Amino acid sequence: DGNTIASGSRDKSIKIWDKQSGKCLNTLRGHSDSVESVAISPCGKTIASGSRDKSIKIWDIQSGECLKTLKGHSEWVHSVAISPDGNTIASGSRDKSIKIWDKQSGKCLNTLRGHSDSVESVAISPCGKTIASGSGGGTIKVWDIQSGECLNTLEGHSGYVNSVTISQCGKTIVSVSYDKSIKIWDKQSGECLNTLEGHSGYVSSVAISPDGKTIVSGSQDSTIK
């Protein structure tokens, strides 16, 4: 609803913040290592977190209670995403795999393999049918969430792909990399539509505005563009 921020930290905690006042509403503890990624469910009632302790945890945002711990990755969990219907979690790991989980039961529904290096970032499309994943090998892969089939491999970055996101229309993927660039891709064809350059350090994070017209990138050069 735009009122709450969740943050994950190397101090092993997740904090819940009131966006208006800036007040910390709750601190969630339970991971035994750095929290690498957090995602709030569309209903706003639960949070998924991925950690270097190789687990994903699901939390009640109001009470701070850990509802479930999902285990199956053999290395750090770098990224988590929740589907638009709130029923599915995708996780990307240093073990080179993506796992698809049923959020209600905690069961692993599928393991997607094909990357040759660590999976740094995952994003679920607005329709909930596909996943984009960015890898340490410099590639982005597009997957069918139901079958686990790799639909496309996007190649063009010369370094780690640190973050991927999918536009609200579901047609465009944006990726950022250690090569200091941002790339815009056609999800269907895999064609690189544009390369944005201007950061002097590696680009670590990216987001697209809801109307799909603006991209925001954060970089090691201490700037946001």
Side-chain angles (χ1 to χ4, degrees), residues 16-26:
I16 313 299
W17 310 83
D18 180 84
K19 197 184 83 170
Q20 191 65 32
S21 68
K23 182 183 175 186
C24 180
L25 304 174
N26 213 341

Side-chain angles (χ1 to χ4, degrees), residues 47-202:
I47 291 174
S49 58
S51 168
R52 288 190 183 188
D53 67 12
K54 308 174 189 176
S55 76
I56 298 107
K57 287 184 181 288
I58 302 169
W59 309 81
D60 183 287
I61 201 168
Q62 195 69 37
S63 68
E65 179 191 359
C66 179
L67 304 173
K68 279 186 183 65
T69 299
L70 316 182
K71 292 185 177 180
H73 284 296
S74 59
E75 288 285 354
W76 300 350
V77 178
H78 285 303
S79 182
V80 291
I82 302 176
S83 62
D85 64 8
N87 294 329
T88 306
I89 294 172
S91 57
S93 169
R94 198 179 185 184
D95 66 13
K96 307 177 188 176
S97 77
I98 298 119
K99 286 186 179 287
I100 313 299
W101 310 83
D102 180 84
K103 185 165 150 285
Q104 189 64 31
S105 67
K107 182 183 176 185
C108 180
L109 304 174
N110 212 342
T111 300
L112 316 183
R113 300 188 188 278
H115 282 296
S116 61
D117 209 326
S118 172
V119 180
E120 298 292 306
S121 180
V122 290
I124 301 177
S125 63
C127 68
K129 293 180 179 178
T130 55
I131 292 173
S133 57
S135 161
T139 61
I140 298 109
K141 288 184 181 286
V142 182
W143 310 82
D144 183 287
I145 202 167
Q146 195 69 38
S147 68
E149 179 191 358
C150 180
L151 305 174
N152 222 334
T153 299
L154 317 182
E155 296 180 301
H157 282 297
S158 60
Y160 266 60
V161 176
N162 293 316
S163 183
V164 293
T165 189
I166 303 173
S167 63
Q168 281 296 313
C169 69
K171 295 178 180 178
T172 307
I173 293 172
V174 180
S175 59
V176 299
S177 170
Y178 264 54
D179 66 13
K180 307 176 186 176
S181 77
I182 298 124
K183 286 185 182 288
I184 302 167
W185 310 82
D186 182 284
K187 185 162 82 73
Q188 187 69 28
S189 68
E191 179 190 358
C192 181
L193 304 174
N194 211 343
T195 299
L196 315 181
E197 295 177 322
H199 282 295
S200 60
Y202 72 73

Side-chain angles (χ1 to χ4, degrees), residues 199-204 218-223:
H199 282 295
S200 60
Y202 72 73
V203 190
S204 56
S219 167
Q220 190 201 26
D221 65 15
S222 303
T223 68

